[in-house]
Amino acid sequence: MLALALLIAAFMAVIYPFVMVGAPNGRDIRIPRNASSENVRDSLTKEFGEDYAGKVMRLVSMRKTDFKTRHGLYHIEKGSNALSAMRKLTSGGETPVRLTINGFRSLPLLVDKISAKFDFPADSLWDVLSDREFMASFGVTPEQAMAIFLNNTYEVYWSASPREAVEKIGGNYRLLWEETNRRKAAALGLTPSEVTVLSTIVDEETNSEGEKPIIGRLYINRLKKGMRLQADPTVKFAVNDFTLRRITAKHLKVESPYNTYLNFGLPPGPIRTPDETTIRAILNSDPNDYLYMCAKDDFSGRHNFSTSYSEHMQNALRYRHALDRNDIH
């Protein structure tokens, strides 16, 4: 019995540090391409200290893992023992990165946000988004690339290539534009990408879910009649200033393909990342006869809608007076 007790005691003395001592905090360990054991040890030491890193790497050495084949991000939970950490790092079971896209108003900003999250440079992502053939597989042009980045939270591996990341994120866009919704878009006289571009203008016009289908139909009415959209958000996009509360004649004259006061039809691309609920609201909207809209003079964010230009001008005059009273320029 004494011998057994001594054996157990010796075993525990050896194994205890590896199974009973946990990581002092939760951290991500990124293993770059063609990494060496020294690279991994350095990362573990930086995040958890030399003692914990040493324990993990002693176990790693028993497996003779080649970290050149383990490119990826691995999350070590707080309290994970060295044995658990070793298994995670050597198994190749990556932890996906959570990426939230919500209301980006600039493709360059979006590209910077995405590339900062993953193991590829912004330039390589731009190359993918500029590939006309690849973008065509989503039914968009490079100018419309922002359309496929629906507002949502995605899980993508840190080691993904730019093309793989775009495929993963753009998968939601492909699912949205299945045959039924394609038919609904066609019934409105628009392509899926055009509905998506239109939805981004609608999202900038109002936060009211009840107004979104009305505004969507209003703009479709204008398109069908050959009228300019004259959408203020497209002017804000053209001048790169979404803080504007008053659009002046100076802004309306800005030369840009996105200025729908100067150009007919939809702008060449979205003015923000699109929202699926707004796209569906437009697709399922009821017809109306409205051709004009103007923000209400109570600054509620809601709008007055009208079918005649004379009625619209009365609404616009009330709004301008409200701006003047509140010294909004």
Side-chain angles (χ1 to χ4, degrees), residues 279-295:
I279 293 172
R280 292 186 182 277
I282 294 171
L283 292 176
N284 298 308
S285 60
D286 293 325
N288 63 55
D289 296 323
Y290 296 130
L291 291 173
Y292 306 95
M293 60 182 286
C294 180

Side-chain angles (χ1 to χ4, degrees), residues 106-109 111-112 121-131 142 145 162:
S106 160
L107 187 57
L109 287 177
V111 167
D112 287 346
D123 286 350
S124 63
L125 181 54
W126 277 115
D127 288 342
V128 170
L129 299 178
S130 301
D131 184 332

Side-chain angles (χ1 to χ4, degrees), residues 205-265:
E205 288 282 16
T206 184
N207 290 320
S208 168
E209 297 301 322
E211 284 194 347
K212 288 181 180 180
I214 299 172
I215 295 173
R217 280 285 183 158
L218 181 154
Y219 281 132
I220 291 171
N221 292 341
R222 293 181 70 90
L223 288 171
K224 287 181 176 179
K225 287 183 174 292
M227 301 170 67
R228 293 184 179 90
L229 291 186
Q230 296 184 327
D232 287 357
T234 66
V235 178
K236 295 178 183 180
F237 184 88
V239 301
N240 193 29
D241 186 356
F242 279 92
T243 67
L244 290 174
R245 297 190 64 187
R246 189 167 197 164
I247 304 296
T248 67
K250 175 184 69 175
H251 301 125
L252 299 182
K253 294 176 182 177
V254 170
E255 291 286 345
S256 167
Y258 285 87
N259 185 348
T260 57
Y261 276 84
L262 294 181
N263 303 290
F264 288 94

Side-chain angles (χ1 to χ4, degrees), residues 47-104:
E47 301 297 345
F48 303 112
E50 290 185 8
D51 184 60
Y52 186 81
K55 291 180 175 65
V56 175
M57 295 308 294
R58 281 199 293 275
L59 292 174
V60 166
S61 66
M62 297 178 189
R63 278 204 168 183
K64 303 186 185 307
T65 300
D66 181 0
F67 282 111
K68 291 180 181 178
T69 66
R70 291 293 181 263
H71 175 220
L73 179 148
Y74 303 86
H75 183 72
I76 308 299
E77 297 281 355
K78 181 179 181 180
S80 296
N81 60 41
L83 182 61
S84 174
M86 177 276 290
R87 286 175 173 165
K88 177 161 283 191
L89 293 173
T90 60
S91 68
E94 281 191 71
T95 305
V97 172
R98 289 175 65 84
L99 172 70
T100 297
I101 295 173
N102 186 23
F104 279 81

Side-chain angles (χ1 to χ4, degrees), residues 116-266:
K117 282 270 191 177
F118 299 98
D119 191 29
F120 52 73
D123 286 350
S124 63
L125 181 54
W126 277 115
D127 288 342
V128 170
L129 299 178
S130 301
D131 184 332
R132 289 197 173 274
E133 185 176 350
F134 182 52
M135 288 295 99
S137 71
F138 294 96
V140 302
T141 65
E143 294 75 20
Q144 298 167 336
M146 195 157 56
I148 67 175
F149 294 92
L150 295 175
N151 293 332
N152 210 325
T153 296
Y154 303 88
E155 291 192 344
V156 184
Y157 289 127
W158 176 75
S159 61
S161 68
R163 191 181 183 98
E164 289 169 340
V166 173
E167 279 282 6
K168 176 72 173 180
I169 297 167
N172 279 19
Y173 184 82
R174 283 198 173 108
L175 286 174
L176 169 63
W177 288 110
E178 41 74 35
E179 186 58 33
T180 299
N181 284 338
R182 286 179 175 276
R183 286 199 298 269
K184 289 179 180 179
L188 295 174
L190 300 172
T191 65
S193 61
E194 288 172 334
V195 174
T196 304
V197 170
L198 175 59
S199 76
T200 66
I201 300 174
V202 171
D203 274 331
E204 286 293 340
E205 288 282 16
T206 184
N207 290 320
S208 168
E209 297 301 322
E211 284 194 347
K212 288 181 180 180
I214 299 172
I215 295 173
R217 280 285 183 158
L218 181 154
Y219 281 132
I220 291 171
N221 292 341
R222 293 181 70 90
L223 288 171
K224 287 181 176 179
K225 287 183 174 292
M227 301 170 67
R228 293 184 179 90
L229 291 186
Q230 296 184 327
D232 287 357
T234 66
V235 178
K236 295 178 183 180
F237 184 88
V239 301
N240 193 29
D241 186 356
F242 279 92
T243 67
L244 290 174
R245 297 190 64 187
R246 189 167 197 164
I247 304 296
T248 67
K250 175 184 69 175
H251 301 125
L252 299 182
K253 294 176 182 177
V254 170
E255 291 286 345
S256 167
Y258 285 87
N259 185 348
T260 57
Y261 276 84
L262 294 181
N263 303 290
F264 288 94
L266 288 161

